[in-house]
Structures are given as C-alpha cells and as structure tokens.
Amino acid sequence: MAKLILKNSSLISLNDSENTDLGELKFDIAQFKVPTALVVQKDDFTSRVAKERNANGELVETGEYIITFKVYDRPFIEMVLGNGSTEIGSPITVVVEHQDSLPIFDSFEDGEFIPITFEGLKVKPRKVQKKSFVGQGKPMVDTWQYSEIKIEADSYTIGDVNGTKAK
C-alpha cells in the first residue's frame, strides 16, 4: 500500500463564529469530471449585456457580454451519433464573462456540433433565489442562497476548421 501523506493544504475551516463569503470560494477543477474535448451546437448559447452600478446606484450597461454555452462531451457525442441515436443527454453549462463580442456561427450548419475549447476553467458556488421558511403561519420569503455550482471560463475558442481557429 502506498503511503498517504497530507502536504500543505489550502483548505478553509468554516466555524460558526466566523463570517465567510461563500461566493469567494473556488473549487479545484480536478475535483470535477469536466471533459477536455467539448462541442457546442450553433444555437446552444445565450448572451446578455453585463451591467454594473454607477455612482448614482443605477444599473448601466458596460458594453461587455456574459455568454453562457451549453456544451457536451465530444467523445460521447461521437459515440451517440455513430450508433444512430438521438438522445444526447443534458449539457454542461459554461459561463464566460467580460467578452467584447459575441460568437459567430455563420459558417456552421444548423444542428452541427462545433468544437469549442475554454481557457481558465474555474468552478465556483452559484447564488440562486429560493423560497425559505420563516415561521409557522408566515409566508415563504425569497432569499439568495449558494446551492449550486457554476463553471466559468476566462475565454473560449470556437472550431478547428481546416486547421484554423475562429473566435
């Protein structure tokens, strides 16, 4: 049996007496089985304009986009399509923030699976709105809770068509 040795750790101990912002935690990407070869379909992305608060507290557009891709494991899709099946399962969602342009898929066919690679993948807690119980006889209230994870990337590269990459 191999020796089990604990080396330096960057673990955070959460105690009742401390306040820790869970949104600042980052998970090690190696803990998750994120495929290395991914594909996206032409219409499997959404975008929205990033907004931030100005000095008056108003939300203003920054001119940057937040792009959400729904991607699939490429070897799995190749196996499914090779066997003539149409059930491809649920996608993995990857969010890319601070983008100055939207992806261009004009050179690809509808329904085509397009190779995509991501740089700087990170896994973080995701804050979602949920109903919480306040007390007997009181209505449920909306609260923001960390209950999911979010996969983020710094940048992306679309396709590998004829040895050239488009972005």
Side-chain angles (χ1 to χ4, degrees):
M1 183 169 122
K3 291 183 181 180
L4 301 174
I5 300 172
L6 178 63
K7 297 183 179 177
N8 289 338
S9 174
S10 60
L11 298 177
I12 298 173
S13 176
L14 300 176
N15 298 324
D16 290 340
S17 61
E18 296 178 17
N19 287 333
T20 303
D21 183 9
L22 296 177
E24 298 298 319
L25 295 178
K26 291 181 178 70
F27 299 105
D28 184 2
I29 192 77
Q31 295 175 339
F32 301 91
K33 293 183 179 181
V34 178
T36 54
L38 299 168
V39 291
V40 62
Q41 284 193 307
K42 187 174 183 175
D43 297 327
D44 273 351
F45 81 95
T46 56
S47 63
R48 61 185 169 101
V49 177
K51 296 180 181 181
E52 62 183 28
R53 295 205 181 274
N54 64 10
N56 297 332
E58 302 167 332
L59 284 176
V60 294
E61 295 180 357
T62 62
E64 295 179 334
Y65 296 97
I66 299 170
I67 306 170
T68 304
F69 291 97
K70 293 185 178 183
V71 297
Y72 299 89
D73 182 15
R74 183 177 181 157
F76 177 73
I77 294 298
E78 290 172 351
M79 181 182 69
V80 167
L81 296 178
N83 289 323
S85 181
T86 58
E87 297 295 323
I88 58 174
S90 298
I92 298 169
T93 302
V94 179
V95 177
V96 184
E97 298 179 345
H98 308 294
Q99 298 298 298
D100 55 359
S101 63
L102 296 174
I104 300 172
F105 291 111
D106 294 342
S107 62
F108 300 101
E109 298 177 30
D110 289 337
E112 179 180 355
F113 285 96
I114 305 158
I116 186 168
T117 55
F118 294 99
E119 296 294 325
L121 283 174
K122 298 179 281 296
V123 179
K124 298 171 67 174
R126 179 173 182 232
K127 197 181 252 191
V128 295
Q129 192 171 13
K130 291 194 161 200
K131 298 276 187 191
S132 293
F133 179 73
V134 181
Q136 186 68 24
K138 296 182 181 177
M140 300 285 274
V141 296
D142 288 331
T143 59
W144 287 95
Q145 301 174 6
Y146 292 104
S147 67
E148 298 178 5
I149 59 170
K150 172 171 76 168
I151 301 175
E152 290 183 349
D154 293 335
S155 63
Y156 64 93
T157 305
I158 295 175
D160 193 354
V161 183
N162 299 328
T164 60
K165 293 184 178 183
K167 182 166 183 181

